[in-house]
């Protein structure tokens, strides 16, 4: 208890140090150890620094450059959020707005190229989506929680749709379809959200905006958000018979 009292005033700073170590460490075993320590520190940290950390993790996840290291870094970030939820459930429960939207969307991350080659597992969730699914479910994620944070979800979806990552656009499209079907479609009819849903769907339909599995998911997206009818050109005027 004395050690805990000594750590508490510095928990926020120590949590940031542990997070940097996780992101810079190459050893998976070391990352797990740092994540466990970070989760314990999260229990002692005040809500403000923990919330700041979660928002910075979300930003880093979304804005990560599309490189060969992108997948591994996103998996590290997702795993850290999951461990923070396991180690400090009360603290994370009070900060759902800062992490639940990303977990909701992350559940729809596509399988990695290497994972797609695994025989008999093509329809199973990949490693990244599975970690987010655990973080979401264990942290109290459900239709009610998603509805409570709908505006944060829509804002994050817009960032992903406008971003450069094809994988994140795919996750955003699948998440948008998921949201449209929650509560029997009630969310997409909410006055504060209806226009945002339609604009996101329209952006994803643009031919110049590419994303993974677009051909497979686009019909489902259009079923949830029917595109406006294509205007037909007016027929040319017919000549009068007496001319």
């Amino acid at each position: 208890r004395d050690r805990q009292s000594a750590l508490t005033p510095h928990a926020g700073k120590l949590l940031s140090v542990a997070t940097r170590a996780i992101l810079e460490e190459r050893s998976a075993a070391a990352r797990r150890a740092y994540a466990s320590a970070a989760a314990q520190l999260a229990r002692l940290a005040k809500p403000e620094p923990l919330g700041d950390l979660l928002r910075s993790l979300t930003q880093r996840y979304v804005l990560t450059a599309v490189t060969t290291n992108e997948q591994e870094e996103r998996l590290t970030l997702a795993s850290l959020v999951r461990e923070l939820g396991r180690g400090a459930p009360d603290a994370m429960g009070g900060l759902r707005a800062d992490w639940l939207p990303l977990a909701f969307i992350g559940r729809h991350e596509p399988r990695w190229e290497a994972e797609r080659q695994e025989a008999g597992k093509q329809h199973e969730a990949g490693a990244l989506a599975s970690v987010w699914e655990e973080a979401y479910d264990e942290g109290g994620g459900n239709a009610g929680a998603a509805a409570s944070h709908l505006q944060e979800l829509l804002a994050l979806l817009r960032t992903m749709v406008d971003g450069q990552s094809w994988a994140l656009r795919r996750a955003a499209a699948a998440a948008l379809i998921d949201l449209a079907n929650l509560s029997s479609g009630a969310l997409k009819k909410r006055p504060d959200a209806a226009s945002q849903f339609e604009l996101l769907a329209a952006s994803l339909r643009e031919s110049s905006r590419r994303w993974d599995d677009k051909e497979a998911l686009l019909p489902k997206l259009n079923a949830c958000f029917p595109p406006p009818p294509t205007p037909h050109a007016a027929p040319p005027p017919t000549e009068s018979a007496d001319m």
Side-chain angles (χ1 to χ4, degrees), residues 107-119:
R107 294 153 60 241
H108 300 286
E109 282 271 19
R111 293 174 64 83
W112 296 340
E113 190 62 35
E115 293 176 323
R116 295 183 183 186
Q117 309 304 320
E118 298 178 12

Side-chain angles (χ1 to χ4, degrees), residues 78-223:
S79 299
L80 175 56
V81 173
R82 180 189 61 187
E83 293 310 308
L84 289 173
R86 289 173 172 175
D90 292 340
M92 292 289 282
L95 295 167
R96 282 200 183 105
D98 296 319
W99 66 267
L100 186 135
L102 181 57
F104 182 94
I105 300 170
R107 294 153 60 241
H108 300 286
E109 282 271 19
R111 293 174 64 83
W112 296 340
E113 190 62 35
E115 293 176 323
R116 295 183 183 186
Q117 309 304 320
E118 298 178 12
K121 296 184 178 181
Q122 289 83 353
H123 300 293
E124 295 181 11
L128 185 52
S130 296
V131 170
W132 280 124
E133 187 76 51
E134 291 174 357
Y136 184 78
D137 290 344
E138 294 171 12
N142 51 41
S148 297
H149 300 294
L150 184 58
Q151 286 305 315
E152 291 91 347
L153 265 164
L154 291 172
L156 188 55
L157 285 169
R158 170 51 64 187
T159 299
M160 291 181 174
V161 170
D162 290 342
Q164 300 300 312
S165 171
W166 290 17
L168 283 185
R169 283 184 192 161
R170 188 270 188 198
L176 195 62
I177 294 168
D178 192 0
L179 281 172
N181 291 314
L182 286 181
S183 304
S184 301
L187 293 185
K188 67 178 182 179
K189 299 175 184 177
R190 276 178 35 173
D192 62 334
S195 62
Q196 296 180 69
F197 273 111
E198 294 294 343
L199 287 172
L200 285 166
S203 294
L204 287 164
R205 276 194 293 265
E206 292 175 5
S207 58
S208 61
R209 206 177 294 263
R210 300 181 180 181
W211 36 282
D212 293 345
D213 303 327
K214 186 172 184 177
E215 290 184 0
L217 282 178
L218 195 56
K220 297 179 181 180
L221 184 71
N222 288 337

Side-chain angles (χ1 to χ4, degrees), residues 8-119:
T8 298
H10 310 289
K13 291 182 179 179
L14 291 172
L15 182 58
S16 296
V17 171
T19 300
R20 285 198 299 272
I22 292 168
L23 297 174
E24 295 171 1
E25 178 58 59
R26 294 185 179 183
S27 164
R31 285 199 301 268
R32 286 193 294 269
Y34 285 132
S36 178
Q40 297 305 312
L41 288 167
R43 298 174 62 181
L44 305 177
K46 293 182 179 179
E48 292 80 5
L50 181 55
D52 290 342
L53 173 65
L54 292 168
R55 288 187 290 273
S56 70
L57 293 178
T58 296
Q59 184 179 38
R60 179 159 181 157
Y61 188 94
V62 174
L63 299 181
T64 297
V66 182
T67 67
T68 55
N69 296 323
E70 175 193 23
Q71 295 172 340
E72 188 62 33
E73 178 163 336
R74 286 185 177 163
L75 182 59
T76 297
L77 291 167
S79 299
L80 175 56
V81 173
R82 180 189 61 187
E83 293 310 308
L84 289 173
R86 289 173 172 175
D90 292 340
M92 292 289 282
L95 295 167
R96 282 200 183 105
D98 296 319
W99 66 267
L100 186 135
L102 181 57
F104 182 94
I105 300 170
R107 294 153 60 241
H108 300 286
E109 282 271 19
R111 293 174 64 83
W112 296 340
E113 190 62 35
E115 293 176 323
R116 295 183 183 186
Q117 309 304 320
E118 298 178 12

